[in-house]
Amino acid sequence: MRKPVFVLLCFLILQNLNAQEIRTFMDLQTHTAIHIPYGLFSDGLTYFPKNAPPRLRFKHMFTNVNYANFFENNPGARIIINGAINKEWVQSREKARRVILEQIEYVNAFIQQHADKFALATTPQEARDLVLNTNKTVFIHSIEGGRRIIDSQEDANFWASKGVAFVTLVHLLDDENGASAITPGFFTRIMNLKGVFRKEKNRRLTEHGKNAIRYLANAGIMTDLTHMSAQTRRDALDFMYEQQIPPISTHDGFQPVHNSPRGISEADIIGIYHHNGFVSLPLSGAPLKPRKSSPAYQQLLDSLNRAKCYCAGSVDNYKFSYLALKQFVEGNAALISNDSLMVFSKLTDSQKVKYAIGFESDFNGWLSHERPRYGKKGCYPMLKIRAYEEFEQKGLAHPGLIKGHWDALSGDGVDLEPIKRASEKFLQLWQYFLRAKKK
């Protein structure tokens, strides 16, 4: 299908480097219109009175915290991928399209109404120009859940016409595209009983799923591997490598730390980056909780706990996972690049974009987020001799506190540049897909 893709990709990346690169925090998925598919939630992107803010906490399951106030001038998430979420049990192709389209149009209408503060980017160049030349918060569209919406090339072309940058092909249920990861816990198992009673070796990417990936690539849309079962992900990666389609994963974990069906193996991390894709970690608390970590990481966790410098469920979950993944990716840069003499530290900042690591907040009403480190809900007492930022006391109670998340990590000496580079990596990859699409 795309035999000269790597030559073309190198050409396009070099061409992109002639443009001014961006370095900013880019949220690879949140859901501001969750109330449309799931009516139990209040409307997103509405304003509360500045003198009467809602009382929110990090345990906000079943609460929509996506108030418009939190997205204005938010340096913690300058670019936001807004995920139009598909209904899990939808059977009608027409209804699936209608519900997703309604979410896209809802966000578009909000942006038009508040064009002084927000903007929509339907191409990488639009996003780049908005970041470099305005102070606006930039929205980009994606879709989470490919069920009943990609049956033909015409379907993929339709979503491309709406500015959709990527589709998370599989969500919480096994469907016509493939199998969903069944994570530990009652909720995901009861939701996906069909998958529970099937052997993992039989839970594969389907021919329909392969066609969907191909249709999306032909339309200039990336495929997100997040939520796929281990076998479906393996099939998808093999297919995408064969077809020379770069893969992305926006909010799965790193298997040596998160040994669950949502954890991506070391070999697959290397493969994704080798084939010019990249991965991203979620900010929401539960998905990043270390689980059955490999001995080396478990020993490190144990030592941190003994030293009382690890607060489980807090920003420390993200910190531990991010540093583990960062060290692994950068430590294997020579293998990823097929250049045994390459040393990551000697690369230019532009060359390091290839090894970027993204983040995804997933504020959607269903999930809670990071607990605070300090105070009654935290691990450590608040001392009278110092002042505490809101994030330190509340945790990640709403999107407006994402900057506090980064400030806490920066205060701990964590290098955040790979996360900022992910915005440029995403735009370069999106640009490649658009230029390589079939006319």
Side-chain angles (χ1 to χ4, degrees):
M1 171 188 165
R2 295 176 179 177
K3 299 302 182 184
V5 68
F6 286 115
V7 174
L8 177 60
L9 183 58
C10 290
F11 169 76
L12 292 174
I13 289 177
L14 288 172
Q15 191 175 46
N16 278 334
L17 294 180
N18 293 325
Q20 188 174 353
E21 295 183 350
I22 65 169
R23 298 290 186 275
T24 192
F25 291 115
M26 178 180 189
D27 186 341
L28 276 157
Q29 190 171 253
T30 194
H31 303 283
T32 63
I34 191 72
H35 62 283
I36 292 174
Y38 298 103
L40 70 150
F41 296 112
S42 59
D43 291 0
L45 294 179
T46 60
Y47 281 92
F48 58 78
K50 292 185 178 181
N51 60 351
R55 298 180 65 181
L56 300 172
R57 55 193 187 122
F58 74 94
K59 288 186 177 181
H60 44 230
M61 184 178 288
F62 304 123
T63 304
N64 189 352
V65 300
N66 285 317
Y67 289 97
N69 310 61
F70 298 142
F71 294 106
E72 280 189 17
N73 302 315
N74 186 342
R78 178 69 196 283
I79 305 175
I80 298 169
I81 305 287
N82 189 75
I85 195 164
N86 203 346
K87 296 193 76 169
E88 297 301 332
W89 288 278
V90 68
Q91 296 299 322
S92 165
R93 180 177 180 275
E94 291 72 22
K95 186 173 182 179
R97 175 179 283 205
R98 184 174 68 250
V99 170
I100 292 172
L101 191 57
E102 187 178 349
Q103 293 172 70
I104 290 174
E105 292 175 345
Y106 177 88
V107 174
N108 289 350
F110 170 82
I111 292 169
Q112 291 173 6
Q113 188 177 358
H114 302 281
D116 57 327
K117 297 182 176 69
F118 300 91
L120 175 69
T122 59
T123 68
Q125 192 58 51
E126 287 178 358
R128 195 183 302 279
D129 291 343
L130 286 164
V131 169
L132 293 173
N133 301 317
T134 77
N135 293 319
K136 297 179 181 181
T137 298
V138 181
F139 279 100
I140 297 171
H141 290 306
S142 74
I143 298 172
E144 185 164 41
R147 186 183 183 93
R148 303 289 186 265
I149 64 167
I150 312 165
D151 293 332
S152 66
Q153 188 61 60
E154 289 71 24
D155 287 339
N157 294 345
F158 173 81
W159 296 118
S161 74
K162 301 302 177 183
V164 171
F166 68 82
V167 172
T168 307
L169 190 62
V170 174
H171 198 206
L172 302 181
L173 298 180
D174 291 16
D175 61 23
E176 72 271 21
N177 295 308
S180 170
I182 301 174
T183 53
F186 176 77
F187 181 70
T188 54
R189 295 180 68 83
I190 199 69
M191 274 193 69
N192 194 11
L193 285 175
K194 177 181 177 181
V196 169
F197 292 105
R198 293 172 64 196
K199 292 182 178 180
E200 182 60 31
K201 66 179 182 179
N202 297 326
R203 304 182 69 232
R204 312 195 67 128
L205 182 73
T206 65
E207 286 303 312
H208 190 283
K210 292 179 182 179
N211 286 333
I213 293 171
R214 185 185 293 111
Y215 296 149
L216 290 170
N218 289 344
I221 297 175
M222 294 173 272
T223 293
D224 176 18
L225 307 177
T226 305
H227 287 289
M228 289 182 177
S229 72
Q231 186 59 60
T232 294
R233 186 197 302 122
R234 177 71 267 146
D235 291 344
L237 286 172
D238 288 345
F239 178 75
M240 295 176 84
Y241 297 164
E242 175 189 323
Q243 297 294 314
Q244 302 183 34
I245 301 172
I248 64 171
S249 176
T250 63
H251 56 287
D252 277 331
F254 181 38
Q255 190 179 63
V257 177
H258 321 102
N259 190 7
S260 80
R262 291 282 302 276
I264 304 178
S265 70
E266 292 178 328
D268 285 344
I269 293 288
I270 289 173
I272 288 169
Y273 279 91
H274 176 69
H275 288 83
N276 294 297
F278 76 109
V279 300
S280 171
L281 295 174
L283 298 191
S284 49
L288 276 190
K289 181 180 178 181
R291 181 179 185 275
K292 297 182 179 179
S293 302
S294 67
Y297 288 112
Q298 189 58 55
Q299 289 174 11
L300 179 56
L301 278 168
D302 292 342
S303 65
L304 290 172
N305 279 313
R306 284 194 298 270
K308 296 184 178 180
C309 54
Y310 181 82
C311 181
S314 76
V315 63
D316 289 347
N317 276 9
Y318 180 89
K319 176 182 173 181
F320 187 86
S321 303
Y322 166 66
L323 290 177
L325 180 59
K326 176 179 180 294
Q327 182 182 39
F328 178 77
V329 170
E330 294 177 1
N332 285 281
L335 180 60
I336 290 168
S337 66
N338 276 338
D339 181 357
S340 61
L341 300 179
M342 192 266 278
V343 178
F344 181 83
S345 62
K346 295 184 178 180
L347 298 178
T348 66
D349 188 66
S350 291
Q351 291 171 326
K352 289 178 180 178
V353 168
K354 177 179 175 65
Y355 309 95
I357 298 170
F359 82 93
E360 180 256 17
S361 72
D362 216 0
F363 281 104
N364 57 28
W366 294 111
L367 300 174
S368 292
H369 281 70
E370 297 168 346
R371 68 188 287 202
R373 279 174 169 170
Y374 300 95
K376 292 181 179 179
K377 300 294 184 181
C379 299
Y380 314 116
M382 295 177 64
L383 305 176
K384 294 182 179 180
I385 59 174
R386 61 158 290 193
Y388 293 87
E389 299 295 331
E390 186 178 6
F391 174 79
E392 294 180 293
Q393 302 176 59
K394 290 186 175 180
L396 197 52
H398 57 72
L401 293 177
I402 295 177
K403 180 181 182 297
H405 168 95
W406 303 127
D407 288 345
L409 292 171
S410 180
D412 289 348
V414 174
D415 176 16
L416 302 179
E417 289 308 307
I419 300 169
K420 291 182 178 179
R421 292 185 197 112
S423 55
E424 178 63 29
K425 173 64 178 179
F426 180 90
L427 295 185
Q428 289 184 12
L429 195 55
W430 190 16
Q431 188 68 64
Y432 160 70
F433 270 79
L434 289 176
R435 286 179 175 169
K437 72 179 183 180
K438 289 192 172 182
K439 304 298 184 182

